[in-house]
Amino acid sequence: MKKILSLFILLFLLYANFSAQIRIREITSNLRTNYSNTETRKIVTLNQDWTFAPKGSLEDGVSINVPSTYNSDDEMVFQKTLNLSQFDIANNNFRIHFLGISYSADIFLNNIIVYKKAGGNIPFTVELANDLISTEDENILKVVVKNQLDSQNSIPLFQRFLFPKNSGGIVRDVFLEIIPKENIQLDKYLTTITNDFKSAQIDFTFNSNTGLAEEASKYRVEVAIIDDREKIVSTKNWELKQDSKQTSISLNIFNPKIWSPKNPTHYIGEFRLFRNDSLVDLSKKQISITKLENRPEGIFLNNEKFEFKGVTYIHSNNEYGKLISFPELKKDLQIIKEMGINSVRFAKATPHPFALEICSELGILPFIEIPLNSAPELIAKDANFVKRSERFIDEFVKSYDNYSPILIVGVGSGYLSNSSIHAELIQRFCKVVHSNKNVLTYASFNGFPQTKIKSLNLYGIELFTDFDILENSLSDLSIEPSKVFLSEATYPNYKGSSNGYLNKFSLEAQAKFFEKTIDLSSSKKLSGFFLNSMFDYYGDFSSLYTKYSDNNLYRIGILDVNKNTNSTSYKLIRSKLNNGKKIKIPLGSTKDTSPILFIIIGLVLSVLTGVLINSKKKLREDATRAFLRPYNFFADIRDHRIISGFATIILMLILAGSHSLLIISLLYYFRTNII
């Protein structure tokens, strides 16, 4: 007995040890510093040489680099030594930029908390107070990461439909920005273009930090706008007032180069701060000049009606989760651009900041949105949840405004079209967005909204259903078609290649579905469409809708996880959007998808029923009498009349088999139904 008990304890401890093992994944990411390193400013990557350990067990830590993820729900610690010279500490200010942490974090410098990140994988900046920085000892940066999502509080919620994998860690780049103590910081800029597009005005707002205590010192700011040929097209100088902390200035550019998807041109703004004619600070900013308007007749870009021709982009690797390097991200977006796409919706996840910069360079209009999907009405009307969500959206818009001059902001998806609670929530979210920036807003609905929502500019419709129902519903909408777009047209392709599109859930059927989606958007004069999604990806939950997969692969992409462009859907969409040669999809023939096993089970049950009925004459007569006259059934129970063991076993198999066949038939029929 003691040996058995000892063996049990040993096995239990081994199992507990295996279960507690934490897997870490990391990638190599090269930081972009195109406009950040200047004569006076310096960017230092902090991606290397971190120590990773469970909270309270730093002595057991391992050495890793970031971006990296881990697979535990426990609080974990990332720790790093900051190498700061005494000269830099004496003459500069420091900011640490985190481009993404999943999900929330506490930031410490020398064991003093300097920032609490509430969550959401949004880029943020931590200002390091100079009095916390040690000039004698090492400066230790510590990040305590918490990775648990919640069913009622977090964004996204814990329950998520077709969302990418969630994993904890510092999932994007980290870098240190060294700035002179006397500096000038661009707060925001606004471009205004004349109707004839012969002139553009750029209004800059700056925050200045100067040593104005010295009355003899004079400070001057110089702004220069440089085109892609490195030619200065506009410049201006002005002196800072002694008591001025915020300054505004306007520059005019004649015959400006306008940004558009066909011509994604940019300018570089250079901002210099002089003290007594000595340069003390220089910063740069990429600037795009464009005009995106919401008119009654539709969305206009540079005075031309603009139709969104887009895809959703959701990245999630089976091994590395949401980790992605800059080259891989750029390759993905180049594939999208070459297909003829002019817009990308970053759905169900906050986008990587680099993705917005790449979109601007390639000529792609980014749709970014908070990763909130199908929030139940009970949660949507909870005051605490609404307040947290409003703070999240406020931070979301401010953070991404630094990375793209053109944004269309979504306030969530999966909303019920006939819910007054969801409509009120959307209205509050849109109000927060518009208070920060003059951008277009949209929401994505599961259904067809019949009434307008104040402050909401665009109404997205999620397409999972039959086209006939969709066409009829669009005809009855009270909202103008120019304000409606197909936000995600989804069609699983888990059967792979077949003999034609009549075979449902095949690659050919998906291509036909996307073709009809594009044609429907055009014929109904909608503002555009988004095909969902560009690539297959992995999630946290198994999905019957996209067919069960051991590794939770969602097969809904135009291209598979290997991104092989030899795909029927890819070829058809590329041809259709670029006015190329028409791609014919074979019709094929419909195949009966009902499993033969169901029929075999039914026949076996019929045979068993026949065997039971004809096994004994008395059993048949007693059973018939009990069915026809319920009194006899209860009389048999009263008198303790029982059937034989053989008949009991056969009856048990018939009842269990019949119920099982009924349930599995219903589940099999509804397995592809989105509801």
Side-chain angles (χ1 to χ4, degrees), residues 601-602 604-606 608-609 650-666:
I601 292 174
V604 171
L605 292 174
S606 300
L608 288 176
T609 304
I650 298 297
L651 182 60
M652 177 192 69
L653 293 175
I654 292 171
L655 289 173
S658 300
H659 282 86
S660 300
L661 184 61
L662 173 63
I663 293 170
I664 198 171
S665 296
L666 289 172

Side-chain angles (χ1 to χ4, degrees), residues 428-627:
R428 293 188 63 163
F429 287 173
C430 290
K431 186 177 179 181
V432 175
V433 175
H434 290 303
S435 67
N436 280 290
K437 188 174 175 64
N438 185 24
V439 297
L440 301 182
T441 55
Y442 73 92
S444 183
F445 294 87
N446 184 3
F448 310 93
Q450 297 298 326
T451 56
K452 291 184 178 180
I453 299 175
K454 188 177 180 181
S455 300
L456 185 65
N457 303 124
L458 293 167
Y459 300 77
I461 296 176
E462 298 168 9
L463 180 55
F464 300 96
T465 186
D466 185 67
F467 270 94
D468 295 333
I469 299 175
L470 177 65
E471 287 184 290
N472 295 334
S473 300
L474 287 174
S475 301
D476 298 335
L477 278 177
S478 59
I479 302 170
E480 301 90 342
S482 60
K483 305 299 181 185
V484 177
F485 68 102
L486 302 176
S487 54
E488 52 182 76
T490 309
Y491 195 95
N493 61 2
Y494 50 77
K495 286 188 177 178
S497 184
S498 72
N499 62 345
Y501 64 80
L502 287 181
N503 187 13
K504 289 185 176 181
F505 308 112
S506 63
L507 290 171
E508 292 82 2
Q510 184 198 54
K512 189 66 177 178
F513 176 86
F514 287 153
E515 182 182 40
K516 291 173 70 176
T517 300
I518 296 170
D519 292 340
L520 179 68
S521 174
S522 178
S523 64
K524 294 294 182 179
K525 297 182 179 179
L526 305 180
S527 61
F529 61 85
F530 287 85
L531 309 178
N532 185 39
S533 74
M534 186 63 208
F535 306 105
D536 290 345
Y537 59 96
Y538 295 86
D540 283 325
F541 304 105
S542 299
S543 172
L544 286 178
Y545 177 66
T546 62
K547 192 176 182 180
Y548 173 77
S549 167
D550 289 335
N551 51 13
N552 302 334
L553 174 63
Y554 300 151
R555 296 183 179 90
I556 60 173
I558 298 170
L559 299 180
D560 60 19
V561 290
N562 296 319
K563 302 171 184 177
N564 181 7
T565 55
N566 188 26
S567 156
T568 305
S569 295
Y570 179 85
K571 291 177 181 177
L572 181 139
I573 297 166
R574 181 172 182 173
S575 174
K576 202 166 184 65
L577 298 184
N578 292 290
N579 298 319
K581 183 180 178 182
K582 187 174 181 180
I583 304 296
K584 293 183 179 180
I585 310 172
L587 178 65
S589 57
T590 306
K591 293 182 179 179
D592 186 8
T593 58
S594 299
I596 192 67
L597 181 64
F598 289 3
I599 301 172
I600 294 173
I601 292 174
L603 290 173
V604 171
L605 292 174
S606 300
V607 171
L608 288 176
T609 304
V611 170
L612 178 64
I613 292 173
N614 295 290
S615 60
K616 288 184 180 181
K617 182 179 180 181
K618 186 177 184 305
L619 175 64
R620 182 171 66 250
E621 291 175 350
D622 289 347
T624 303
R625 186 175 69 251
F627 275 119

Side-chain angles (χ1 to χ4, degrees), residues 341-361:
I341 294 300
N342 62 23
S343 308
V344 170
R345 178 177 167 228
F346 295 94
K348 296 179 170 61
T350 57
H352 198 302
F354 292 166
L356 301 186
E357 295 180 359
I358 296 169
C359 283
S360 183
E361 293 172 3

Side-chain angles (χ1 to χ4, degrees), residues 42-60:
K42 186 166 61 173
I43 294 294
V44 179
T45 180
L46 300 181
N47 285 348
Q48 285 77 39
D49 302 325
W50 291 77
T51 299
F52 173 81
K55 188 177 180 181
S57 304
L58 283 177
E59 64 278 1
D60 299 327

Side-chain angles (χ1 to χ4, degrees), residues 143-154:
V143 183
V144 181
V145 179
K146 297 177 277 290
N147 180 42
Q148 271 190 309
L149 299 180
D150 190 88
S151 297
Q152 297 183 351
N153 300 311
S154 61

Side-chain angles (χ1 to χ4, degrees), residues 61 95 133 154 156 161 164 227 250 263 273 286 288 294 417 427 457 470 532 612 646 651 656 663 667:
R95 296 176 186 155
I133 301 174
S154 61
F161 177 64
D227 64 13
S250 299
N263 183 34
L273 175 66
Q286 189 182 76
S288 299
N294 178 31
S417 58
Q427 184 176 327
N457 303 124
L470 177 65
N532 185 39
L612 178 64
F646 171 77
L651 182 60
I663 293 170
L667 291 176

